[in-house]
Amino acid sequence: MLDAALAETVLKFPVDIQPFRDMINGMRMDLFKSRYFNFDELYLYCYYVAGTVGLMSVPIMGIDPGSKASTESVYNAALALGIANQLTNILRDVGEDASRGRIYLPQDELEQFGLSDDDIFAGVVTDKWRAFMKDQIKRARIFFKQAEMGVLELDKDSRWPVWASLLLYEQILDSIEANDYDNFTKRAYVGKWKKLITVPVAYVRAVVPPSVTRLAATG
């Protein structure tokens, strides 16, 4: 039944097959790769396992007929949201991944902050770790910011769930900060009440005319 649903979607919408193949490549990577030397390597992994979802989704969600943005820029924003979400997953799950012998953090950047795999496995929050995490969170937020402009260009019926996803996921980063960057023993999450507040906020962003939202975002 799942295959039938996917086949119907591919026939109904102009979905490219390449992101599906790339996602499978990402799943294969987890079979043999547990370290990433630099952010370029990590970015490729994030693209495979999450950025592809954005590329798959745009043809189905649609672009607003009145959008002045290029199709390429909308796809790039969707890709950025996938990267941002996956980076957030990685930062949230450091302790859980370490328990499985996996470290999805750039090795060269860990070294720049005086950290190593041993520090990850020890699971102790230090000033070096806090500084490193602040830097990683800053980068994830840059990708979320890039994604925001693309949400404004989506078809009006698609904006609300995408805004909700973006805002809720970005709040996981807030939770990591609130936990004093302890993602070894504490799992960062968005509480029920915050979720309830965020959903209507996302709705307001979705229904505000894109031109008004763009002015607010750039002003």
Side-chain angles (χ1 to χ4, degrees):
M1 292 301 294
L2 294 175
D3 288 342
L6 178 58
E8 181 187 23
T9 301
V10 171
L11 289 172
K12 187 175 180 181
F13 299 97
V15 179
D16 185 5
I17 193 63
Q18 191 58 47
F20 292 87
R21 291 172 175 155
D22 289 342
M23 176 177 277
I24 293 171
N25 284 335
M27 295 176 182
R28 287 174 175 156
M29 286 177 71
D30 275 331
L31 297 176
F32 63 86
K33 192 172 179 64
S34 61
R35 300 290 188 280
Y36 294 84
F37 175 71
N38 55 32
F39 184 69
D40 287 342
E41 286 190 5
L42 184 62
Y43 179 93
L44 182 61
Y45 173 76
C46 290
Y47 160 70
Y48 279 150
V49 299
T52 50
V53 177
L55 301 186
M56 295 173 192
S57 302
V58 172
I60 299 168
M61 293 183 173
I63 298 175
D64 185 82
S67 172
K68 299 288 193 299
S70 68
T71 301
E72 181 181 5
S73 69
V74 178
Y75 273 87
N76 285 340
L79 173 59
L81 181 55
I83 299 295
N85 286 347
Q86 186 60 27
L87 289 175
T88 301
N89 284 339
I90 288 169
L91 298 179
R92 179 195 62 195
D93 298 339
V94 170
E96 183 179 333
D97 289 331
S99 69
R100 299 187 176 111
R102 298 181 176 276
I103 298 177
Y104 294 94
L105 299 167
Q107 294 284 303
D108 62 338
E109 295 179 18
L110 283 168
E111 186 178 349
Q112 288 171 17
F113 283 84
L115 297 164
S116 67
D117 289 2
D118 290 340
D119 294 298
I120 306 298
F121 293 130
V124 177
V125 178
T126 63
D127 288 342
K128 290 180 180 179
W129 178 252
R130 292 185 184 94
F132 173 77
M133 283 302 302
K134 288 176 183 177
D135 195 60
Q136 299 299 305
I137 288 173
K138 179 180 178 181
R139 177 160 54 206
R141 286 197 169 118
I142 289 173
F143 280 102
F144 277 119
K145 185 57 68 175
Q146 292 173 2
E148 286 185 12
M149 298 310 295
V151 183
L152 305 176
E153 309 301 339
L154 293 176
D155 185 85
K156 61 181 178 64
D157 293 331
S158 301
R159 291 180 206 140
W160 187 13
V162 180
W163 269 122
S165 169
L166 190 156
L167 295 174
L168 287 169
Y169 245 80
E170 194 168 12
Q171 287 181 66
I172 294 175
L173 300 176
D174 298 337
S175 182
I176 295 173
E177 292 171 333
N179 288 339
D180 193 28
Y181 307 100
D182 182 1
N183 40 10
F184 300 116
T185 63
K186 297 179 180 178
R187 184 174 176 84
Y189 67 96
V190 181
K192 179 173 68 176
W193 289 108
K194 284 188 177 180
K195 288 180 180 178
L196 290 173
I197 293 170
T198 300
V199 170
V201 171
Y203 178 76
V204 170
R205 292 203 182 190
V207 298
V208 170
S211 58
V212 175
T213 311
R214 289 189 199 99
L215 286 173
T218 56

